[in-house]
Amino acid sequence: MAVPYVNLNAVNGHFFDEYTEELKKMFDEGQFVLGPVVQKFEEQFARYVGIKHGVGVNSGTDALMLSLAAAGIGPEDEVLCPAFTFGRCADAIARLGATPVLVDVRPDTYCIDADLMMASITSRTKALVAVHLFGNACEIDRICTVARTYSVAVMEDMRHAAGARVNGRRLGSFGQFGCFSFYPTRTLGGIGDGGLVTTGDEKNAESIRRLREHGRLGGKGEHDMVGYNSRLDAIQAALLSLKLQDLDENNWERVENARLYTQLFKGSPVQTPPFKDDLSAVYNMYTVLVPERDKLAVHLTEKGIGFGIYYPTPLHMHPAFEYLGYKQGAFPVSEDLSKRAISLPIAPGLKKKQINEVANAVLSFYGASVS
Ligand SMILES: Cc1ncc(COP(=O)(O)O)c(C=O)c1O
């Protein structure tokens, strides 16, 4: 039985009728960019995260870039970010003329190592990007304490972690900025690109509102600063508003799927991520570490099992970041993960039978089976 990596209809399909009613209203009213539908979602999402402001933008990448811009990051500044993450994280820093300073990650959570991060702070460090990779919370309390000590801003990269919480408090409310993405496969996904910045600070929220709207605020002609065109569309916000009501339930389903995988892989050569059942991991990706990853990928393809490889190349080995001058061997954990990590289907809608099927397909490659 083939198992797709993700089946988006399982989380979107039942909203179709309600959503088309919203679309009809939107057509009647003709407000497609920002406007009341977006504002309603921004308020609703900020309440959900437990923070004062939410500002909708058009992607997770822009959420980070606009946050860095609002924090005044520019040439001469250094921004710390993990060496094992999506390349666009360092892009956002480099686009502002600042220098991405890479830091290795932890082998257990795959997230930035707080001790190494602290050791990388210099007088030029102005911000750090804490990526809650694959939906695993990074050491956010420690990171925020270090950041306060050195007066460095914390950007939480929330792309994989919408809905996750630590000690009952939602991620995205710890740092100065929470940078969310609503790419369709995320824990809260739209039907296209979308993003949002959370912040507890009125001035920061206003800066992001200006930056996303060409540097101006409201309908006035004057531009107070050089900005971007990075607004959230109402067609995304209307669906996200509806889907927000399912987010916790969907994340719990991901946790239950992770629980089952953890049991099925016990005692096998498959190294599973730490299992947490308090939503401090929301398993946007269920990423395991395996021997002979690339051969396993071929085996899974032959069996019709979907998977993802995140990330086959650590940041410092991308030609785009060659100019930073890092050599192979600079970030051993990131380099090792990039060779051994493979993400298995985990999204809501997956049946227990399918999880068994995936686990069996993986284990059969190593000459084992689900017991
Ligand atoms: C950790 C991380 N941050 C940011 C992004 C970019 O988000 P977006 O595609 O919404 O720009 C990605 C993309 O996959 C990502 O994996």
Side-chain angles (χ1 to χ4, degrees), residues 20 32 38 57 146 153 197 205 217 222 249 290 309 312 321 334 336 364:
T20 44
F32 302 116
V38 171
V57 296
V146 171
V197 178
L217 201 52
E222 312 91 58
E249 198 183 315
V290 293
I309 295 192
F321 301 117
S334 299
D336 176 48
S364 68

Side-chain angles (χ1 to χ4, degrees), residues 41 44 182 188-190 232 236-245:
F41 172 65
Q44 193 185 6
F182 304 122
L188 180 63
L232 183 63
Q236 301 302 338
L239 181 64
L240 294 166
S241 268
L242 296 173
K243 285 184 70 180
L244 186 56
Q245 50 190 309

